Amino acid sequence: MDGVSAVNAVKPSVLIVEDEPGLVELLRYNLERAGFEVAVANDGEEAMTAIAEHRPDLVLLDWMLPLMSGIEVCRQIRRQADTANLPIIMLTARGEEGDRVRGLDAGADDYVAKPFSPTELISRIRAVLRRIRPALTDQVLSYADLRMDLTAHRVTRNGKNIHLGPTEFRLLRYLMEHPGRVFAREQLLDAVWGKDVYVEARTVDVHIRRLRKALNGENEQDVIRTVRAAGYALDTAEL
Ligand code: CA
């Protein structure tokens, strides 16, 4: 995966969390037709595993699930640092205002009541992704005062050009596509270097150091957060 050619090939991925097979198939069919990559989990526990494994771009979460309710799944996703910003749309038969509020209170980004039209659902999914992850719909990524133009292969901070090596560029791109999310070194290796390449985890530290040096210059704020024993995130929250 390299440079500009990959940009158009990136399909946003959606995890469907629903236990009704008929509805799962309806959703899968419509989402795939709309250009999404689709994964399915049938209950909350499967959902947490699938999120950890597949890192979906958005979760479509049914309220009524066996074992653990959709609301509880939503809370769990929000509680974990590495999934706290994962976009969630709740799906439910309940249409009352009180439930809507409860869903949004639990951390859902949007709420769609059944029955819904697939076309409307897909436009809501696109709207949430555009709002939360412009990376998936734009050729330009931005975070704080950083801008990455994927077409021109150019990075600026506060309007000033930043020169990055190809690995630092890919690393920054991945972080900018998932701002605020904490990634373990191994996850960054898989995403940036590729799963088939054997590279030591320490290599990530080396490239993060170079990336920091290039981005921070003399006295800019550090935009990369090191999470002890966990990994790295693009995050200015602590500043
Ligand atoms: Ca259900």
Side-chain angles (χ1 to χ4, degrees), residues 18-20 62 64:
E18 166 63 291
D19 57 321
E20 270 169 68
D62 191 43
M64 300 296 282

Side-chain angles (χ1 to χ4, degrees), residues 78 85-90 103-104 107-111 128 131-132:
R78 286 291 173 261
N85 299 316
L86 181 58
I88 300 171
I89 295 182
M90 293 230 30
L104 297 175
D109 297 287
D110 201 357
Y111 181 103
V128 167
R131 197 171 75 226
I132 296 168

Side-chain angles (χ1 to χ4, degrees), residues 100-120:
R100 203 184 113 79
V101 170
R102 266 183 74 203
L104 297 175
D105 268 358
D109 297 287
D110 201 357
Y111 181 103
V112 176
K114 296 179 197 168
F116 51 83
S117 91
T119 317
E120 196 210 330

Side-chain angles (χ1 to χ4, degrees), residues 9-235:
V10 174
K11 277 189 180 185
S13 60
V14 174
L15 175 69
I16 300 170
V17 188
E18 166 63 291
D19 57 321
E20 270 169 68
L23 188 52
V24 168
E25 282 326 300
L26 176 79
L27 290 169
R28 184 204 285 280
Y29 172 80
N30 283 286
L31 286 170
E32 283 178 349
R33 219 173 53 144
F36 293 94
E37 210 152 310
V38 174
V40 175
N42 297 119
D43 61 50
E45 224 163 274
E46 268 184 36
M48 297 312 288
T49 311
I51 289 165
E53 276 173 12
H54 303 299
R55 307 254 140 206
D57 294 307
L58 181 141
V59 178
L60 199 54
L61 179 61
D62 191 43
W63 184 301
M64 300 296 282
L65 292 171
L67 309 173
M68 195 196 318
S69 76
I71 286 280
E72 186 47 38
V73 177
C74 188
R75 288 204 186 99
Q76 283 204 17
I77 292 171
R78 286 291 173 261
R79 263 201 303 268
Q80 296 183 13
D82 60 339
T83 56
N85 299 316
L86 181 58
I88 300 171
I89 295 182
M90 293 230 30
L91 213 56
T92 179
R94 311 168 183 220
E96 294 94 38
E97 187 60 20
D99 288 332
R100 203 184 113 79
V101 170
R102 266 183 74 203
L104 297 175
D105 268 358
D109 297 287
D110 201 357
Y111 181 103
V112 176
K114 296 179 197 168
F116 51 83
S117 91
T119 317
E120 196 210 330
L121 178 67
I122 281 159
S123 73
R124 301 277 279 272
I125 291 176
R126 291 215 170 101
V128 167
L129 286 175
R130 252 199 314 276
R131 197 171 75 226
I132 296 168
R133 288 284 174 70
L136 293 163
T137 44
D138 281 3
Q139 302 283 300
V140 175
L141 310 180
S142 61
Y143 178 76
D145 52 1
L146 283 175
R147 255 175 84 85
M148 173 178 271
D149 185 330
L150 295 170
T151 315
H153 224 261
R154 192 167 45 220
V155 176
T156 60
R157 178 157 194 195
N158 223 343
K160 262 174 36 194
N161 270 320
I162 306 263
H163 299 282
L164 297 177
T167 303
E168 285 72 37
F169 187 90
R170 289 202 305 273
L171 190 54
L172 179 63
R173 175 178 169 174
Y174 191 69
L175 293 172
M176 287 184 77
E177 284 171 344
H178 308 87
R181 291 256 294 273
V182 179
F183 291 103
R185 291 170 179 78
E186 291 72 21
Q187 288 172 327
L188 291 174
L189 281 176
D190 284 352
V192 176
W193 279 261
K195 281 186 201 285
D196 305 325
V197 183
Y198 180 76
V199 189
E200 272 186 76
R202 262 188 335 171
T203 306
V204 175
D205 300 335
V206 173
H207 288 278
I208 287 278
R209 200 149 57 228
R210 283 189 201 156
L211 180 58
R212 266 204 173 112
K213 200 174 165 209
L215 293 180
N216 299 343
E218 297 296 298
N219 46 19
E220 299 278 355
Q221 285 184 326
D222 196 354
V223 286
I224 296 172
R225 181 159 64 97
T226 303
V227 183
R228 195 185 288 266
Y232 298 102
L234 187 69
D235 196 353

